[in-house]
Every structure is written in C-alpha cells, then in structure tokens.
C-alpha cells in the first residue's frame, strides 16, 4: 500500500517510547511499523544491531517478509530481523540455556517427535510435563512449549542477558500482540526496559484465547504495564479497499446485518447430501475465481483459501476436490497435523541412506521398526499405540539377533530393507524419494503400507526447497544419501524456526485458525452444520464464533464466497441477504 503520513502515523514515527498501534485487517499496522523500522535503520545502527519483528505465527512472519521486500530498499532489508518468538527464544536458549542447569549443547525436540513421545508417556501413565522437564534437564532436549518459559526464566534472573539481547535490537515490533501467551509477553515486557517496543494489535481478532496463557486482557496489560502512546487505525482498510469485504466482516462481528448485499461478497447454498455438497464445493471454486478476477481487473489472481472451522470440514473439502474416477481432481494443498506425516518422512529418508551390510541387516530393520513405531505413536489413539508398542518390542528382538517371521510387519520391513541394499539410486532426490515410498506401499503389510499414505500428504518437494537441496548436496558430495535423516531434520527445524513459509500460489484448504496472519486473493468459507458449523454450537450471542468468522472473511483481498448448508444455515448469517457470485 502507498504510505500516507497523517497525524497518527507521524506520532508513531516520532515516538521514542513504547507505542501500541491498534487497527483492523488491512489498516496499515505493518506498513507504518516498517516505515518506523526504516527510520531507525537510517538513523544509524551499530554493527550487529537489527530492528526485530516478532510474531507467534510463521504465516505472519512470511507476510512481513513480503511487505518489507515491497516497501524497503534492498540495502535496508538486511538490517531487519523478522522472526517468530520460537526462533528468537531458541537463539537465546542455545547461548545461555546451560545457566538453567541443562547441557551446554541443546537439542531441538521437533513437534512430531514431541507428539510421539507425549502419546507414549501418557499411554504409560507418565506425567508428560514432568517427562518434558526431565528431557530438558538431563538430556538437553527442548520442546517448543518450553521455549518461552525457559527464556523467561533466563531474562528474569539475569539483567545482563536482558541488556545484551536488547542491545542487539534498538527497536522491537511485536505483531499480533493480543495473542501473545503469558511467558511470551513476560519476555517482551522485560526487554522493553532497555529498548523501544511497538505493539501491533487487533482487538477483534483474538482467536487463540483458548490456548493456555493467552489472555483476553493482554491489550489492557500492555496499557497498564508499559503506558504506551496509543494510536488507533481502526476503520481503515487497505487490504480490500475496492470492496465491502471489511464492512461485511465487521457486520458479522457486531451482528448487525444490513439486509442487502456487499460488494465483493457472495453466497452459495448447497443441499447437505454428499453428492450435492461435493458438487457445490467444486462449483464454488470456479465461481469464486471468476468473481475475483472481475473484481481485480488487471491484477492477477494467484491464491485461494477454502476455510472451515474444524478439521472434519477440511477433510470434506479436500475429498470433494480430489479425483473420483469420473472427474479430474482440482489441485490443492491441505494444511494438516504434520506430526505423523513428518515422522513417516524420516522412515523414507532412512531407507535412502546406505545400508550397513548383510551382517548388520537386523540392526537396520530394528531402526526401521523404531521409526515406524514413532509414526503410530504420533497418530495417537489406543489401536495405534498398541501397534507402536508391538513394533518397538520387535525392534528389541531384532537387536538381540532374532529374525522376525516372514509374514509379520517386521518381516515385511526386513524385505523392504533388503530391497534398498540392491536398489540403484538415481541421484535425483525426488525420484529416489518416490521409489522408497513405493517400497513401503508395496510392503505387503497393511500397517506398514499405511505409512506411505502419510508420506503422500507431505508432498515433500512442494513444501520447500530446503529438503531437496539438502539431499542433493549429500549426493553431490558423497554419491549417496548418507545422513539423509539428519539433513531432513535440519531442514524441518530451519523451516519451523525461520520463515516456515509455504508457496502462496494455488488453492489452500485449512482451518480458519491456520489462516490467521495470511492473505489470499479469494476466500471460500465452508459452513456445514454436521461437520464444521461456523457458529461452532456456541450459545448466543456467539461472540467467539463471530470473531473467528470475521478473521476468515478478512483474509480475502478481492472476493469472499460463503458456502452454506441450505437447510441448516449458520445463525451468524441470519439477516444477510447475499447474492450468488
């Protein structure tokens, strides 16, 4: 957006103390924060200093990165440090974490590993909080949920660390500050003693208050504890200025339908039986794209989101878009719970690694069994945990030298491992990855074969180039994929801690919560009474549901289409007479 400096924005640029900037989606909070960052950088930074942008969301980090590239000269972009809370806290913990009584060299416990360990601990009636603390203290393994707590302890106990961290960042911008958890906020407040803080907040977009430590009073805390300059950009809209998308979102939030249509907003009603529902979902994609192109004029339409309140709705939408034999599939990406999927990818990476020789084959099978057990632990539920326990027990037997029966899961994995010993790898990571996935799929055991379905979801080489580049580097350096698992984990850790960015083009299917911080050219909001009601069965006046619905609506730049159950439409749409696209 073009930056127009009015009186309010000038106050932000001129301020030397803490500033709280509030405003709705597209009101220009990020734009003015980047302008402030530019002024600080141009005013002169010492070597090693940066302006820090912080967000709890990797999607929001990616959005700020994009905005900085458009708004700031290239020479200044290098002086911005745009991070999630997790990535900043991990840096601090790696440097000073040993002061809390753990090992000097810490190891990141990736979310997929944490989920598997947590499910296993709970199946053994162990207290996961105690086990997580033990892993940190004795083994130096740090789960993501401990980052903020341990960093807070370091900052609380050491004024020197506070000053050292703050000295690196003479300006810290906290995006989505209304959704910061208690420990995150405590860290920010401690650093504010020694540096300037700008908090960006939308009072009507706090949708993570169900998470432990996220307070509905966070903005009041900022006001009470830091006494900031308050600048309100509410009512301004630069994301979708040529439409009434923002107006519609606000009317949904306030429950004040105007009884007539909104420019840039449409509705399709579907019959709830599976055939008609699926037809409506596919039809909505085409109609929403057509409407968005008409609204955008010469601007390209590159991205669409189809949003639902719950995962069940996401699954229904994805099923409708897939190929069904009679119709071609509509290409799309699903944002999903990745734990089991990423653990399954580690099994594939293991199969790409060179084998240790025939005499070590049972040890290789034991390792494959342990990796497979991790997948089933991450899936959770009693049946999967039982399978995981059996696989892990068989791994112990294999390490003792006992060969598994040919028709057991371990026996089939033995055949897979043996096949990798004679497989000729091409050096093309994508092709070799698919070959190993195929061996799992054709293993002849249903449990083992099911792991390949998790691998299918990853769509590994669309997720990002880091993984592919890592495998390519291994092959070019060694002529084999030795260390493939370590390379995979390093790429995933970098993805979690740094940008975490996904390709923005195409159709994305996700929950509304997962869409927070993102922008799309066009948005379809799917409301199904049986799988993902927009009102989430909340009692009147449905305030939390209204906030969530508004978040979904305001992700769109050019068009929003609401896809409603014809016979049981959400109460949130009562009084809104929207036309079809």
């Amino acid at each position: 957006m073009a930056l127009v400096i009015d009186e309010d924005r000038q106050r932000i640029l001129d301020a030397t103390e803490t500033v709280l900037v509030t405003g709705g989606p597209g009101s220009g909070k990020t734009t003015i924060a980047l302008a402030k960052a530019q002024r600080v950088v141009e005013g002169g930074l010492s070597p090693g200093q940066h302006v820090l942008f912080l967000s709890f969301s990797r999607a929001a980090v990616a959005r700020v990165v994009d905005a900085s590239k458009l708004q700031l000269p290239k020479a200044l972009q290098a002086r911005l440090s745009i991070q999630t809370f997790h990535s900043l806290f991990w840096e601090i913990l790696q440097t000073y974490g040993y002061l809390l009584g753990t090992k000097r060299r810490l190891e990141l416990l990736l979310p997929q590993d944490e989920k598997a360990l947590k499910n296993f601990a709970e199946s053994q009636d162990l207290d996961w909080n105690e086990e997580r603390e033990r892993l940190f203290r004795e083994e130096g393994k740090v789960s993501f949920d401990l980052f903020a707590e341990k960093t807070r302890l370091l900052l609380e106990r050491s004024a020197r660390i506070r000053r050292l961290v703050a000295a690196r960042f003479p300006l810290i911008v906290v995006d989505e500050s209304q959704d910061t958890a208690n420990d995150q906020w405590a860290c920010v407040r401690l650093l504010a003693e020694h540096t300037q803080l700008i908090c960006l907040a939308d009072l009507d977009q706090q949708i993570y208050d169900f998470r432990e430590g996220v307070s509905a009073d966070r903005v009041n805390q900022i006001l009470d504890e830091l006494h900031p300059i308050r600048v309100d950009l509410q009512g301004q809209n630069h994301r979708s200025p040529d439409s009434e998308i923002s107006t519609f979102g606000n009317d949904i939030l306030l429950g004040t339908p105007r009884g007539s249509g909104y420019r840039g907003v449409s509705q399709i009603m579907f019959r709830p039986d599976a055939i008609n529902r699926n037809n409506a979902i596919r039809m909505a994609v085409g109609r929403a794209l057509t409407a968005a192109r008409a609204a955008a004029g010469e601007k390209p339409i590159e991205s669409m989101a189809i949003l639902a309140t719950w995962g069940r709705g996401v699954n229904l939408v994805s099923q409708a878009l897939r190929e069904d034999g009679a119709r071609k599939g509509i290409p799309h990406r699903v944002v999903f719970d990745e734990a089991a999927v990423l653990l399954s990818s580690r099994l594939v990476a293991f199969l790409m690694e060179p084998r240790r020789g025939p005499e070590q084959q049972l040890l290789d099978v034991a390792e494959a069994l342990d990796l497979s057990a991790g997948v089933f632990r991450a899936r959770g539920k009693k049946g999967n945990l039982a399978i995981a326990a059996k696989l892990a027990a068989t791994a112990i037997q294999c390490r003792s030298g006992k060969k598994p029966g040919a028709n057991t899961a371990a026996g089939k994995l033995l055949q897979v491992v043996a096949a990798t010993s004679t497989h000729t790898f091409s050096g093309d990571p994508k092709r070799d990855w698919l070959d190993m996935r195929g061996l799992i799929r054709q293993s002849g055991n249903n449990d083992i074969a099911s792991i390949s379905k998790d691998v299918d979801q990853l769509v590994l080489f669309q997720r990002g180039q880091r993984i592919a580049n890592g495998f390519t580097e291994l092959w070019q350096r060694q002529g084999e994929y030795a260390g493939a698992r370590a390379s995979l984990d390093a790429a995933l850790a970098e993805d979690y801690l740094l940008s975490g960015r996904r390709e923005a083009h195409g159709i994305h299917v996700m929950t509304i919560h997962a869409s927070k911080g993102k922008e799309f050219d066009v948005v379809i909001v799917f409301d199904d009474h049986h799988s993902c009601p927009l009102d989430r069965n909340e009692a009147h006046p449905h305030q939390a549901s209204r906030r969530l619905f508004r978040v979904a609506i305001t992700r769109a730049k050019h068009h929003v289409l609401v896809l409603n159950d014809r016979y049981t439409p959400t109460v949130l749409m009562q009084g809104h007479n929207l036309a079809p696209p």
Side-chain angles (χ1 to χ4, degrees):
M1 59 167 281
L3 180 60
V4 177
I5 303 299
D6 55 16
E7 183 179 346
D8 283 335
R9 287 170 173 78
Q10 192 64 51
R11 291 171 63 209
I12 298 169
L13 294 176
D14 294 340
T16 58
E17 59 267 65
T18 299
V19 182
L20 172 62
V21 184
T22 55
S27 60
K29 299 187 296 296
T30 300
T31 303
I32 190 59
L34 285 170
K36 175 70 173 181
Q38 181 172 352
R39 175 173 285 200
V40 170
V41 172
E42 290 176 339
L45 294 179
S46 301
Q49 284 190 320
H50 294 79
V51 172
L52 175 63
F53 273 75
L54 271 182
S55 178
F56 75 96
S57 156
R58 287 178 287 150
V61 165
R63 175 173 49 78
V64 175
V65 169
D66 285 341
S68 69
K69 289 178 179 178
L70 292 173
Q71 188 174 334
L72 300 184
K74 191 170 184 179
L76 298 185
Q77 293 171 23
R79 304 312 295 269
L80 297 186
S81 177
I82 306 172
Q83 302 189 55
T84 61
F85 279 99
H86 278 136
S87 62
L88 175 67
F89 293 166
W90 179 236
E91 286 182 9
I92 296 172
L93 287 172
Q94 284 181 302
T95 306
Y96 305 109
Y98 71 93
L99 296 173
L100 296 175
T102 185
K103 294 187 175 183
R104 276 190 173 268
R105 185 176 179 84
L106 297 179
E107 179 182 344
L108 177 64
L109 189 61
L110 289 169
Q112 59 268 27
D113 296 307
E114 180 180 359
K115 185 169 184 179
L117 289 171
K118 181 180 181 181
N119 286 341
F120 176 73
E122 291 177 348
S123 73
Q124 303 299 307
D125 292 327
L126 299 175
D127 185 301
W128 171 242
N129 290 329
E130 293 180 3
E131 175 64 11
R132 185 175 58 183
E133 189 65 34
R134 185 196 67 77
L135 288 168
F136 172 75
R137 185 178 59 257
E138 297 179 9
E139 301 182 28
K141 294 181 178 179
V142 194
S143 69
F144 275 61
D145 286 345
L146 286 182
F147 278 22
E149 175 189 332
K150 299 304 181 185
T151 303
R152 173 184 58 78
L153 289 174
L154 285 170
L155 295 178
E156 282 181 345
R157 296 175 183 180
S158 173
R160 180 174 176 80
I161 294 176
R162 292 200 298 272
R163 287 194 297 269
L164 287 170
V165 174
R168 291 175 55 200
F169 306 116
L171 173 65
I172 298 177
V173 179
V174 183
D175 194 19
E176 307 276 12
S177 60
Q178 77 279 354
D179 279 320
T180 51
N182 288 335
D183 286 327
Q184 292 171 335
W185 168 244
C187 292
V188 169
R189 179 174 48 75
L190 289 164
L191 293 175
E193 298 172 7
H194 306 286
T195 189
Q196 185 182 12
L197 189 67
I198 294 183
C199 296
L200 311 181
D202 183 346
L203 306 180
D204 295 319
Q205 286 210 64
Q206 188 175 59
I207 62 173
Y208 283 102
D209 49 0
F210 62 90
R211 287 183 177 173
E212 185 177 356
V214 176
S215 171
D217 293 325
R218 183 70 68 224
V219 171
N220 289 332
Q221 281 183 281
I222 295 171
L223 292 168
D224 293 342
E225 295 176 16
L226 298 181
H227 309 291
I229 295 174
R230 172 79 181 271
V231 178
D232 189 6
L233 305 179
Q234 200 72 38
Q236 303 182 37
N237 173 32
H238 301 277
R239 178 175 296 167
S240 52
D242 299 323
S243 75
E244 294 180 300
I245 292 172
S246 179
T247 303
F248 174 59
N250 291 335
D251 285 349
I252 286 289
L253 176 68
L254 299 173
T256 54
R258 70 185 189 187
S260 58
Y262 298 80
R263 191 169 66 256
V265 182
S266 63
Q267 182 178 28
I268 290 177
M269 309 288 281
F270 63 86
R271 293 185 178 88
D273 62 281
I275 292 176
N276 281 297
R277 181 193 64 221
N278 291 349
N279 287 339
I281 291 170
R282 296 173 70 96
M283 177 179 65
V285 170
R287 290 196 178 183
L289 285 172
T290 298
R293 290 187 181 111
E298 296 181 357
K299 296 177 183 177
I301 298 299
E302 299 177 331
S303 61
M304 169 185 284
I306 308 179
L307 307 178
T309 50
W310 293 330
R312 291 195 299 274
V314 170
N315 291 336
L316 282 180
V317 171
S318 182
Q319 289 169 12
L321 298 180
R322 292 177 199 156
E323 182 177 4
D324 61 6
R327 296 178 297 190
K328 290 179 62 176
I330 297 175
H332 64 284
R333 295 177 183 176
V334 179
V335 177
F336 48 85
D337 181 357
E338 295 182 331
V341 172
L342 295 180
L343 288 170
S344 71
S345 72
R346 196 176 288 160
L347 175 61
V348 176
F350 165 73
L351 294 177
M352 293 172 70
E353 293 174 346
R355 302 278 70 85
R356 291 178 281 191
E359 68 284 356
Q360 301 287 320
Q361 197 171 73
L362 282 180
L363 294 180
D364 282 341
V365 173
E367 199 151 357
L369 285 164
D370 281 336
L371 291 168
S372 301
V375 175
F376 284 96
R377 289 192 194 106
R379 290 178 183 175
K381 298 184 180 179
K382 188 175 181 180
N384 289 324
L385 293 174
I387 294 171
K390 188 173 182 180
L391 293 173
T394 309
I396 294 172
Q397 294 174 356
C398 288
R399 288 192 173 93
S400 70
K402 182 178 179 180
K403 187 174 181 179
N407 292 321
T408 64
K412 296 302 182 183
L413 262 183
L414 176 59
Q415 295 172 24
V416 169
V417 169
T420 66
S421 303
T422 58
H423 182 81
T424 301
F425 289 94
S426 68
D428 176 354
K430 183 175 182 180
R431 176 179 169 185
D432 294 334
W433 177 276
L434 294 175
D435 286 346
M436 295 302 99
R437 183 195 66 179
L439 289 178
I440 298 171
R441 178 174 293 166
Q442 297 158 19
S443 64
N445 177 271
N446 289 337
D447 292 336
I448 300 302
S450 73
I451 295 174
S452 71
K453 296 179 181 178
D454 285 332
V455 179
D456 287 342
Q457 290 189 65
L458 185 61
V459 195
L460 181 64
F461 296 92
Q462 291 184 20
R463 179 187 171 111
Q465 279 301 112
R466 290 192 183 101
I467 298 171
N469 290 345
F471 286 174
T472 298
E473 183 180 343
L474 291 176
W475 185 269
Q476 290 175 344
R477 190 172 67 243
Q478 308 169 154
E480 60 184 12
Y481 295 111
R485 281 174 291 168
S487 177
L488 174 72
D489 286 349
L492 292 174
E494 188 177 3
D495 193 49
Y496 273 113
L497 291 172
L498 299 179
S499 71
R501 186 171 179 184
R502 304 289 185 267
E503 178 60 52
H505 291 31
I507 299 173
H508 304 254
V509 185
M510 66 187 78
T511 64
I512 300 174
H513 282 94
S515 75
K516 182 73 179 292
K518 297 179 172 69
E519 292 181 355
F520 301 93
D521 292 318
V522 57
V523 167
I524 297 173
V525 187
F526 178 57
D527 171 54
D528 180 81
H529 175 70
H530 302 286
S531 65
C532 55
L534 279 171
D535 52 60
R536 301 183 299 169
N537 302 318
E538 183 188 14
H540 181 79
H542 315 284
Q543 203 54 47
S545 297
R546 291 184 182 280
R547 283 201 305 272
L548 191 65
F549 191 10
R550 179 176 179 264
V551 167
I553 293 163
T554 54
R555 298 310 90 206
K557 293 192 283 187
H558 299 297
H559 194 82
V560 173
L561 188 152
V562 183
L563 193 55
N564 270 137
D565 181 335
R566 177 182 297 276
Y567 299 121
T568 318
T570 174
V571 297
L572 306 185
M573 289 290 290
Q574 286 180 0
H576 290 279
N577 297 319
L578 302 182

